[in-house]
Amino acid sequence: MTSAATPSLVLQHTGSDWALQGRLQLGELDSVWQQARQTLQPGDVLELAGLSHCDGAGAALLFELQHRGIILRGLAPDFSRLLAALQPERALPASPAPQCLNPISELGRLVAGNLDNWRTRIAFVGALLLSLRNCAPQARTLRLREIVRLCNDAGLNALPIMTLISLLLGIILAFQSALPMRQFGAEVFVANLLGLSLIRELSPLMMAIVLAGRTGAAYTAELGTMKVNEEINALLTFGIDPLRFLVLPRLIAVTLMAPLLTVFAELIGLTGGALVMKGFGIPFSTYFSQIAGAVDLGDFASGMIKASVYGMEIAGIGCLFGLMTGNGASAVGHSTTRAVVSMLVTLVVTDGLFAFVYYQMGW
Amino acid sequence: MTIIEVRDLVCRYGTRTILDGVSFDIHQGDVVTILGGSGCGKSTLLKHLIGLIEPASGSIHIGGDEFVGAQSDTRQRILRRIGVMYQSGALFGSMSVLDNVRLPLDTFSGLSPDAIELIARLKLRLVGLEDFADLYPAELSGGMQKRAAIARAMALEPQILFLDEPSAGLDPVTSAGLDALIRRLAESQGMTFVVVTHELASIQNIADYAIMLDRSVQGIIATGTPAELAGHPDPIVSGFFLRKAED
């Protein structure tokens, strides 16, 4: 009954010396370690003959005490061997001092890092174009079966999520627009609004966001894992260009699938809108004829051009960050996060550029 | 004193029996190698011994406690008695070598951070990596990663250290250095080492005792010191030591 209350390791004063008694082991060390630091002074003698057990952590405490100038006495030969293995005659190397943050050098490092990033991106685009040009005369050497598989992954397998998002987008837009427009008796023009916004802007953008999260991130993780496992190095030592073997098929697949997914998203979004407008008393025929009158081929083409460019950007960024992955599992996660953020920023910036260019061109 | 006691262990993957009726004892302080050709069940046996796989039947006692079907408390108590070095090292890539060793101490020891750091640095000194404490695993060579993994496995002062193929992927010189380290640790720390390996040089350098498995018997074909196994009458056993290919 008393054993639970009695500490199995005790540091006590015995006349002019100190004595450590009991089991000097990891589970018992905490209080004694603190007590020893507070009470023992350099030159004190610590009697250790009362130790019944000592493990490596206990030997670490003895190491510290010996370095503080405490005289250890009476350690059993078995335990002396443990202490000797720690080479107590040599001090441990000091921990590196924490670096002070200098705002100017941090700013410089940030700017240099960003410039380096952009240099890498530009070099990647150049290498990719070169690779594309080199394989253009011998298109048969591209892995068509792989491209078909990638098209299937990026396109066909994305249809369920695209259906859900596009349908809800169409329904929500129609509802939100129809309610205020009904006050002016203009609910029939919701069809014009939906047609223009979905075909020119929202469907390509939503498609790109889904593609970035679903396919672009997967490309980064896949290529990043290949880099960590040295599969990329294996390709290089075979003399196979990773850009041509891994990146080009993905770039082609996503660039082909992005416009098709956008068309699909537009149809589903407009259908969602039609269902809502039916509830507002607008027949399907009226709804679709309004859209046909409001949207021309230029609007459709502008959406398709955007979608293709978004597709290229997503595949390119996904693959680039995959190939830039460092070492270890955490590097893959880090690369994937950076890739998705970069894709989203690039998509928004590109969308802004498109808006400016289309405005200048009168589209 | 027996620290590991295995009785009638049967290991199956689906309907395929890998080990059938394996029994052996391992004594405290010994360096024991589990050896055999590829596919004989060495790694499977190790996974059972460290509790990663439950056997189809049989018992495994570690330090007197039954590991098979153990409840959470008993399981934790047994896990505190063992340390494992995996074949790849399995160091956490996002942490420095020092932090890898600190992790189990931070989680379980209850000591102050500076005491933990001292213990972790001394563990690294034991394996000859004290000057590499602040590097990341990716910055270390294969041999260094294995040394760091041994230091991490020793962090909580286990009684038994399991090493899975410590020499795999290492050159003979590095491998011999690691063997010497294992021998030195066994002698200075008094731990029991269970080393799964098929490297003859390692077996002869480190083992007090060897347990040889073979696919043909789905279990142990011979036990003894490396010298005894090398002169074993069974041609499969002696052939392994003479590097003869199996039929």
Short mmCIF file of all heavy atoms in Angstrom, two decimals, chain A residues 243-299:
data_model
loop_
_atom_site.label_atom_id
_atom_site.label_comp_id
_atom_site.label_asym_id
_atom_site.label_seq_id
_atom_site.Cartn_x
_atom_site.Cartn_y
_atom_site.Cartn_z
N LEU A 243 9.69 16.21 -69.21
CA LEU A 243 8.68 17.13 -69.72
C LEU A 243 7.86 16.44 -70.81
O LEU A 243 6.64 16.53 -70.84
CB LEU A 243 9.33 18.38 -70.28
CG LEU A 243 9.95 19.34 -69.28
CD1 LEU A 243 10.47 20.58 -69.98
CD2 LEU A 243 8.94 19.74 -68.22
N ARG A 244 8.56 15.75 -71.67
CA ARG A 244 7.86 15.10 -72.79
C ARG A 244 7.10 13.87 -72.31
O ARG A 244 5.99 13.60 -72.77
CB ARG A 244 8.91 14.70 -73.82
CG ARG A 244 8.33 14.06 -75.03
CD ARG A 244 9.36 14.09 -76.11
NE ARG A 244 9.03 13.17 -77.16
CZ ARG A 244 9.75 13.01 -78.23
NH1 ARG A 244 10.84 13.72 -78.40
NH2 ARG A 244 9.40 12.16 -79.16
N PHE A 245 7.69 13.14 -71.38
CA PHE A 245 7.10 11.88 -70.94
C PHE A 245 5.94 12.11 -69.98
O PHE A 245 4.95 11.39 -70.02
CB PHE A 245 8.20 11.04 -70.26
CG PHE A 245 7.79 9.63 -69.97
CD1 PHE A 245 7.80 8.68 -70.98
CD2 PHE A 245 7.41 9.26 -68.69
CE1 PHE A 245 7.43 7.37 -70.72
CE2 PHE A 245 7.04 7.95 -68.42
CZ PHE A 245 7.06 7.00 -69.43
N LEU A 246 6.07 13.10 -69.11
CA LEU A 246 5.07 13.27 -68.04
C LEU A 246 4.22 14.52 -68.21
O LEU A 246 3.02 14.50 -67.98
CB LEU A 246 5.77 13.35 -66.67
CG LEU A 246 6.54 12.10 -66.23
CD1 LEU A 246 7.36 12.40 -64.98
CD2 LEU A 246 5.58 10.96 -65.95
N VAL A 247 4.87 15.62 -68.59
CA VAL A 247 4.16 16.90 -68.57
C VAL A 247 3.31 17.09 -69.82
O VAL A 247 2.14 17.46 -69.73
CB VAL A 247 5.16 18.08 -68.38
CG1 VAL A 247 4.42 19.40 -68.37
CG2 VAL A 247 5.94 17.91 -67.08
N LEU A 248 3.91 16.83 -71.00
CA LEU A 248 3.15 17.07 -72.24
C LEU A 248 1.84 16.28 -72.29
O LEU A 248 0.80 16.86 -72.65
CB LEU A 248 4.01 16.75 -73.45
CG LEU A 248 4.94 17.88 -73.94
CD1 LEU A 248 5.60 17.50 -75.25
CD2 LEU A 248 4.16 19.17 -74.12
N PRO A 249 1.83 14.99 -71.98
CA PRO A 249 0.54 14.28 -72.01
C PRO A 249 -0.50 14.92 -71.10
O PRO A 249 -1.67 15.03 -71.46
CB PRO A 249 0.89 12.87 -71.52
CG PRO A 249 2.33 12.72 -71.80
CD PRO A 249 2.93 14.08 -71.64
N ARG A 250 -0.07 15.38 -69.95
CA ARG A 250 -1.02 16.01 -69.01
C ARG A 250 -1.50 17.35 -69.54
O ARG A 250 -2.68 17.69 -69.44
CB ARG A 250 -0.36 16.18 -67.63
CG ARG A 250 -0.28 14.87 -66.87
CD ARG A 250 0.66 14.89 -65.69
NE ARG A 250 0.57 13.64 -64.95
CZ ARG A 250 1.09 12.49 -65.35
NH1 ARG A 250 1.76 12.42 -66.50
NH2 ARG A 250 0.94 11.38 -64.65
N LEU A 251 -0.55 18.09 -70.11
CA LEU A 251 -0.91 19.39 -70.66
C LEU A 251 -1.91 19.23 -71.81
O LEU A 251 -2.92 19.94 -71.87
CB LEU A 251 0.37 20.08 -71.17
CG LEU A 251 0.22 21.54 -71.53
CD1 LEU A 251 0.24 22.40 -70.28
CD2 LEU A 251 1.32 21.98 -72.47
N ILE A 252 -1.65 18.28 -72.69
CA ILE A 252 -2.55 18.05 -73.83
C ILE A 252 -3.92 17.59 -73.33
O ILE A 252 -4.96 18.10 -73.77
CB ILE A 252 -1.93 17.01 -74.80
CG1 ILE A 252 -0.69 17.62 -75.47
CG2 ILE A 252 -2.94 16.55 -75.84
CD1 ILE A 252 0.17 16.62 -76.21
N ALA A 253 -3.91 16.64 -72.39
CA ALA A 253 -5.18 16.09 -71.90
C ALA A 253 -6.04 17.18 -71.27
O ALA A 253 -7.23 17.31 -71.59
CB ALA A 253 -4.91 14.98 -70.89
N VAL A 254 -5.44 17.99 -70.41
CA VAL A 254 -6.24 19.00 -69.70
C VAL A 254 -6.66 20.12 -70.65
O VAL A 254 -7.79 20.63 -70.55
CB VAL A 254 -5.46 19.55 -68.48
CG1 VAL A 254 -6.22 20.67 -67.80
CG2 VAL A 254 -5.23 18.43 -67.48
N THR A 255 -5.78 20.48 -71.58
CA THR A 255 -6.14 21.54 -72.52
C THR A 255 -7.30 21.08 -73.42
O THR A 255 -8.15 21.89 -73.81
CB THR A 255 -4.92 21.93 -73.38
OG1 THR A 255 -3.83 22.20 -72.50
CG2 THR A 255 -5.18 23.15 -74.23
N LEU A 256 -7.33 19.80 -73.75
CA LEU A 256 -8.45 19.29 -74.54
C LEU A 256 -9.73 19.19 -73.71
O LEU A 256 -10.83 19.49 -74.19
CB LEU A 256 -8.11 17.88 -75.08
CG LEU A 256 -7.10 17.79 -76.22
CD1 LEU A 256 -6.83 16.34 -76.57
CD2 LEU A 256 -7.63 18.53 -77.45
N MET A 257 -9.60 18.75 -72.49
CA MET A 257 -10.79 18.48 -71.67
C MET A 257 -11.43 19.75 -71.12
O MET A 257 -12.64 19.80 -70.92
CB MET A 257 -10.42 17.55 -70.50
CG MET A 257 -10.23 16.11 -70.86
SD MET A 257 -11.72 15.40 -71.58
CE MET A 257 -11.26 15.29 -73.29
N ALA A 258 -10.60 20.79 -70.88
CA ALA A 258 -11.15 21.99 -70.23
C ALA A 258 -12.30 22.62 -71.04
O ALA A 258 -13.36 22.91 -70.46
CB ALA A 258 -10.03 23.00 -69.98
N PRO A 259 -12.17 22.83 -72.37
CA PRO A 259 -13.31 23.40 -73.10
C PRO A 259 -14.53 22.47 -73.11
O PRO A 259 -15.67 22.94 -73.01
CB PRO A 259 -12.77 23.58 -74.52
CG PRO A 259 -11.30 23.47 -74.42
CD PRO A 259 -11.00 22.64 -73.23
N LEU A 260 -14.27 21.16 -73.20
CA LEU A 260 -15.40 20.22 -73.22
C LEU A 260 -16.16 20.26 -71.88
O LEU A 260 -17.39 20.26 -71.86
CB LEU A 260 -14.92 18.80 -73.51
CG LEU A 260 -14.28 18.59 -74.89
CD1 LEU A 260 -13.82 17.15 -75.07
CD2 LEU A 260 -15.28 18.95 -75.99
N LEU A 261 -15.40 20.30 -70.81
CA LEU A 261 -16.04 20.40 -69.49
C LEU A 261 -16.80 21.70 -69.36
O LEU A 261 -17.86 21.76 -68.72
CB LEU A 261 -14.98 20.32 -68.38
CG LEU A 261 -14.48 18.92 -68.01
CD1 LEU A 261 -13.32 19.01 -67.02
CD2 LEU A 261 -15.61 18.08 -67.40
N THR A 262 -16.24 22.76 -69.96
CA THR A 262 -16.91 24.07 -69.88
C THR A 262 -18.25 24.02 -70.62
O THR A 262 -19.27 24.52 -70.12
CB THR A 262 -16.00 25.16 -70.48
OG1 THR A 262 -14.77 25.12 -69.78
CG2 THR A 262 -16.61 26.54 -70.36
N VAL A 263 -18.26 23.42 -71.82
CA VAL A 263 -19.52 23.30 -72.57
C VAL A 263 -20.54 22.52 -71.74
O VAL A 263 -21.70 22.90 -71.62
CB VAL A 263 -19.27 22.59 -73.93
CG1 VAL A 263 -20.59 22.28 -74.62
CG2 VAL A 263 -18.40 23.46 -74.83
N PHE A 264 -20.05 21.44 -71.13
CA PHE A 264 -20.93 20.62 -70.30
C PHE A 264 -21.48 21.46 -69.14
O PHE A 264 -22.68 21.44 -68.85
CB PHE A 264 -20.13 19.42 -69.78
CG PHE A 264 -20.91 18.51 -68.88
CD1 PHE A 264 -21.82 17.59 -69.40
CD2 PHE A 264 -20.75 18.57 -67.50
CE1 PHE A 264 -22.54 16.77 -68.56
CE2 PHE A 264 -21.47 17.75 -66.67
CZ PHE A 264 -22.37 16.84 -67.20
N ALA A 265 -20.57 22.22 -68.49
CA ALA A 265 -20.99 23.04 -67.34
C ALA A 265 -22.01 24.09 -67.78
O ALA A 265 -22.98 24.38 -67.07
CB ALA A 265 -19.77 23.70 -66.71
N GLU A 266 -21.80 24.67 -68.98
CA GLU A 266 -22.74 25.69 -69.47
C GLU A 266 -24.13 25.08 -69.68
O GLU A 266 -25.15 25.66 -69.27
CB GLU A 266 -22.21 26.26 -70.80
CG GLU A 266 -21.01 27.18 -70.60
CD GLU A 266 -20.27 27.48 -71.89
OE1 GLU A 266 -20.65 26.92 -72.94
OE2 GLU A 266 -19.28 28.24 -71.84
N LEU A 267 -24.17 23.91 -70.32
CA LEU A 267 -25.46 23.26 -70.60
C LEU A 267 -26.19 22.93 -69.30
O LEU A 267 -27.39 23.19 -69.16
CB LEU A 267 -25.24 21.97 -71.42
CG LEU A 267 -24.79 22.19 -72.87
CD1 LEU A 267 -24.49 20.86 -73.55
CD2 LEU A 267 -25.87 22.95 -73.63
N ILE A 268 -25.45 22.38 -68.35
CA ILE A 268 -26.09 21.99 -67.08
C ILE A 268 -26.53 23.24 -66.32
O ILE A 268 -27.64 23.29 -65.76
CB ILE A 268 -25.12 21.16 -66.21
CG1 ILE A 268 -24.75 19.85 -66.90
CG2 ILE A 268 -25.70 20.88 -64.83
CD1 ILE A 268 -25.89 18.86 -67.02
N GLY A 269 -25.69 24.29 -66.31
CA GLY A 269 -26.04 25.53 -65.60
C GLY A 269 -27.28 26.16 -66.21
O GLY A 269 -28.20 26.59 -65.48
N LEU A 270 -27.35 26.21 -67.54
CA LEU A 270 -28.51 26.80 -68.21
C LEU A 270 -29.76 25.95 -67.96
O LEU A 270 -30.86 26.49 -67.81
CB LEU A 270 -28.23 26.92 -69.71
CG LEU A 270 -27.16 27.96 -70.10
CD1 LEU A 270 -26.88 27.94 -71.59
CD2 LEU A 270 -27.58 29.37 -69.66
N THR A 271 -29.56 24.64 -67.88
CA THR A 271 -30.71 23.77 -67.58
C THR A 271 -31.24 24.06 -66.18
O THR A 271 -32.46 24.13 -65.96
CB THR A 271 -30.28 22.28 -67.69
OG1 THR A 271 -29.70 22.09 -68.97
CG2 THR A 271 -31.46 21.35 -67.52
N GLY A 272 -30.32 24.23 -65.23
CA GLY A 272 -30.73 24.58 -63.86
C GLY A 272 -31.54 25.87 -63.86
O GLY A 272 -32.59 25.97 -63.21
N GLY A 273 -31.04 26.85 -64.62
CA GLY A 273 -31.75 28.12 -64.72
C GLY A 273 -33.12 27.94 -65.34
O GLY A 273 -34.12 28.54 -64.89
N ALA A 274 -33.21 27.09 -66.36
CA ALA A 274 -34.48 26.85 -67.04
C ALA A 274 -35.51 26.27 -66.08
O ALA A 274 -36.69 26.64 -66.12
CB ALA A 274 -34.25 25.90 -68.22
N LEU A 275 -35.05 25.36 -65.21
CA LEU A 275 -35.97 24.74 -64.25
C LEU A 275 -36.56 25.80 -63.30
O LEU A 275 -37.75 25.80 -63.00
CB LEU A 275 -35.24 23.65 -63.45
CG LEU A 275 -34.79 22.43 -64.24
CD1 LEU A 275 -33.95 21.50 -63.37
CD2 LEU A 275 -36.01 21.68 -64.79
N VAL A 276 -35.70 26.71 -62.87
CA VAL A 276 -36.17 27.77 -61.96
C VAL A 276 -37.13 28.70 -62.70
O VAL A 276 -38.20 29.06 -62.18
CB VAL A 276 -34.97 28.56 -61.40
CG1 VAL A 276 -35.44 29.77 -60.60
CG2 VAL A 276 -34.11 27.67 -60.51
N MET A 277 -36.75 29.07 -63.92
CA MET A 277 -37.59 30.02 -64.67
C MET A 277 -38.94 29.43 -65.02
O MET A 277 -39.94 30.15 -65.12
CB MET A 277 -36.86 30.48 -65.95
CG MET A 277 -35.58 31.26 -65.68
SD MET A 277 -35.74 32.47 -64.35
CE MET A 277 -36.89 33.61 -65.07
N LYS A 278 -38.96 28.09 -65.18
CA LYS A 278 -40.24 27.42 -65.42
C LYS A 278 -41.18 27.69 -64.24
O LYS A 278 -42.38 27.92 -64.41
CB LYS A 278 -39.97 25.91 -65.58
CG LYS A 278 -41.19 25.06 -65.83
CD LYS A 278 -41.63 25.15 -67.27
CE LYS A 278 -42.79 24.18 -67.53
NZ LYS A 278 -43.50 24.54 -68.76
N GLY A 279 -40.57 27.67 -63.04
CA GLY A 279 -41.35 27.96 -61.83
C GLY A 279 -41.86 29.40 -61.81
O GLY A 279 -42.83 29.71 -61.14
N PHE A 280 -41.18 30.27 -62.51
CA PHE A 280 -41.62 31.68 -62.60
C PHE A 280 -42.54 31.92 -63.79
O PHE A 280 -42.82 33.04 -64.15
CB PHE A 280 -40.40 32.60 -62.69
CG PHE A 280 -39.73 32.85 -61.37
CD1 PHE A 280 -38.79 31.97 -60.87
CD2 PHE A 280 -40.06 33.96 -60.60
CE1 PHE A 280 -38.18 32.18 -59.65
CE2 PHE A 280 -39.44 34.18 -59.37
CZ PHE A 280 -38.50 33.28 -58.89
N GLY A 281 -42.92 30.83 -64.45
CA GLY A 281 -43.87 30.93 -65.54
C GLY A 281 -43.27 31.20 -66.90
O GLY A 281 -43.97 31.55 -67.84
N ILE A 282 -41.94 31.07 -67.02
CA ILE A 282 -41.30 31.26 -68.33
C ILE A 282 -41.12 29.90 -68.97
O ILE A 282 -40.39 29.06 -68.44
CB ILE A 282 -39.91 31.93 -68.17
CG1 ILE A 282 -39.98 33.19 -67.30
CG2 ILE A 282 -39.28 32.20 -69.54
CD1 ILE A 282 -40.64 34.37 -67.96
N PRO A 283 -41.74 29.64 -70.11
CA PRO A 283 -41.60 28.32 -70.75
C PRO A 283 -40.17 28.11 -71.26
O PRO A 283 -39.44 29.07 -71.50
CB PRO A 283 -42.58 28.36 -71.92
CG PRO A 283 -43.33 29.62 -71.81
CD PRO A 283 -42.63 30.53 -70.87
N PHE A 284 -39.80 26.82 -71.40
CA PHE A 284 -38.45 26.48 -71.86
C PHE A 284 -38.14 27.16 -73.20
O PHE A 284 -37.04 27.66 -73.43
CB PHE A 284 -38.29 24.96 -72.02
CG PHE A 284 -38.25 24.23 -70.69
CD1 PHE A 284 -38.89 23.00 -70.54
CD2 PHE A 284 -37.57 24.76 -69.60
CE1 PHE A 284 -38.85 22.33 -69.32
CE2 PHE A 284 -37.53 24.09 -68.38
CZ PHE A 284 -38.17 22.87 -68.25
N SER A 285 -39.14 27.12 -74.11
CA SER A 285 -38.88 27.64 -75.46
C SER A 285 -38.55 29.14 -75.40
O SER A 285 -37.60 29.61 -76.03
CB SER A 285 -40.09 27.40 -76.37
OG SER A 285 -41.24 27.97 -75.75
N THR A 286 -39.28 29.87 -74.57
CA THR A 286 -39.03 31.31 -74.43
C THR A 286 -37.64 31.54 -73.82
O THR A 286 -36.86 32.39 -74.28
CB THR A 286 -40.10 31.95 -73.52
OG1 THR A 286 -41.37 31.54 -73.97
CG2 THR A 286 -39.99 33.46 -73.51
N TYR A 287 -37.37 30.76 -72.79
CA TYR A 287 -36.09 30.88 -72.07
C TYR A 287 -34.92 30.68 -73.04
O TYR A 287 -34.01 31.51 -73.12
CB TYR A 287 -36.08 29.85 -70.95
CG TYR A 287 -34.78 29.73 -70.18
CD1 TYR A 287 -34.44 30.62 -69.16
CD2 TYR A 287 -33.89 28.68 -70.45
CE1 TYR A 287 -33.26 30.48 -68.45
CE2 TYR A 287 -32.71 28.54 -69.75
CZ TYR A 287 -32.40 29.44 -68.74
OH TYR A 287 -31.23 29.29 -68.05
N PHE A 288 -34.98 29.59 -73.81
CA PHE A 288 -33.83 29.28 -74.68
C PHE A 288 -33.77 30.23 -75.88
O PHE A 288 -32.69 30.54 -76.37
CB PHE A 288 -33.86 27.80 -75.11
CG PHE A 288 -33.38 26.89 -74.00
CD1 PHE A 288 -34.27 26.03 -73.34
CD2 PHE A 288 -32.05 26.91 -73.59
CE1 PHE A 288 -33.82 25.22 -72.31
CE2 PHE A 288 -31.62 26.09 -72.55
CZ PHE A 288 -32.50 25.25 -71.91
N SER A 289 -34.91 30.71 -76.34
CA SER A 289 -34.85 31.66 -77.47
C SER A 289 -34.28 33.00 -77.00
O SER A 289 -33.57 33.68 -77.74
CB SER A 289 -36.22 31.82 -78.14
OG SER A 289 -37.10 32.46 -77.26
N GLN A 290 -34.59 33.37 -75.74
CA GLN A 290 -33.98 34.59 -75.17
C GLN A 290 -32.46 34.46 -75.14
O GLN A 290 -31.74 35.38 -75.50
CB GLN A 290 -34.49 34.79 -73.73
CG GLN A 290 -35.83 35.46 -73.61
CD GLN A 290 -35.78 36.92 -74.04
OE1 GLN A 290 -36.49 37.30 -74.97
NE2 GLN A 290 -34.96 37.73 -73.41
N ILE A 291 -32.01 33.25 -74.71
CA ILE A 291 -30.56 33.02 -74.62
C ILE A 291 -29.94 33.09 -76.02
O ILE A 291 -28.90 33.73 -76.24
CB ILE A 291 -30.26 31.66 -73.97
CG1 ILE A 291 -30.65 31.70 -72.49
CG2 ILE A 291 -28.79 31.28 -74.11
CD1 ILE A 291 -30.53 30.38 -71.78
N ALA A 292 -30.60 32.45 -76.99
CA ALA A 292 -30.07 32.44 -78.35
C ALA A 292 -29.96 33.86 -78.90
O ALA A 292 -29.03 34.18 -79.66
CB ALA A 292 -30.96 31.59 -79.24
N GLY A 293 -30.89 34.71 -78.49
CA GLY A 293 -30.84 36.09 -78.96
C GLY A 293 -29.76 36.91 -78.27
O GLY A 293 -29.20 37.84 -78.85
N ALA A 294 -29.46 36.54 -77.02
CA ALA A 294 -28.51 37.35 -76.24
C ALA A 294 -27.07 36.93 -76.44
O ALA A 294 -26.16 37.75 -76.32
CB ALA A 294 -28.88 37.25 -74.76
N VAL A 295 -26.86 35.66 -76.72
CA VAL A 295 -25.49 35.13 -76.78
C VAL A 295 -25.13 34.85 -78.23
O VAL A 295 -25.88 34.18 -78.92
CB VAL A 295 -25.38 33.84 -75.94
CG1 VAL A 295 -23.99 33.26 -76.03
CG2 VAL A 295 -25.78 34.11 -74.51
N ASP A 296 -24.00 35.36 -78.67
CA ASP A 296 -23.58 35.05 -80.04
C ASP A 296 -22.34 34.16 -80.01
O ASP A 296 -21.83 33.79 -78.95
CB ASP A 296 -23.35 36.33 -80.85
CG ASP A 296 -22.26 37.20 -80.23
OD1 ASP A 296 -21.45 36.64 -79.44
OD2 ASP A 296 -22.22 38.42 -80.51
N LEU A 297 -21.88 33.85 -81.19
CA LEU A 297 -20.75 32.92 -81.32
C LEU A 297 -19.49 33.49 -80.66
O LEU A 297 -18.66 32.75 -80.11
CB LEU A 297 -20.48 32.64 -82.81
CG LEU A 297 -19.69 31.38 -83.11
CD1 LEU A 297 -20.39 30.13 -82.59
CD2 LEU A 297 -19.43 31.26 -84.60
N GLY A 298 -19.36 34.83 -80.71
CA GLY A 298 -18.20 35.47 -80.09
C GLY A 298 -18.17 35.24 -78.59
O GLY A 298 -17.10 34.99 -78.00
N ASP A 299 -19.35 35.31 -77.96
CA ASP A 299 -19.41 35.05 -76.52
C ASP A 299 -18.98 33.62 -76.21
O ASP A 299 -18.22 33.37 -75.28
CB ASP A 299 -20.84 35.26 -75.99
CG ASP A 299 -21.28 36.71 -76.14
OD1 ASP A 299 -20.45 37.60 -75.86
OD2 ASP A 299 -22.44 36.94 -76.53
#
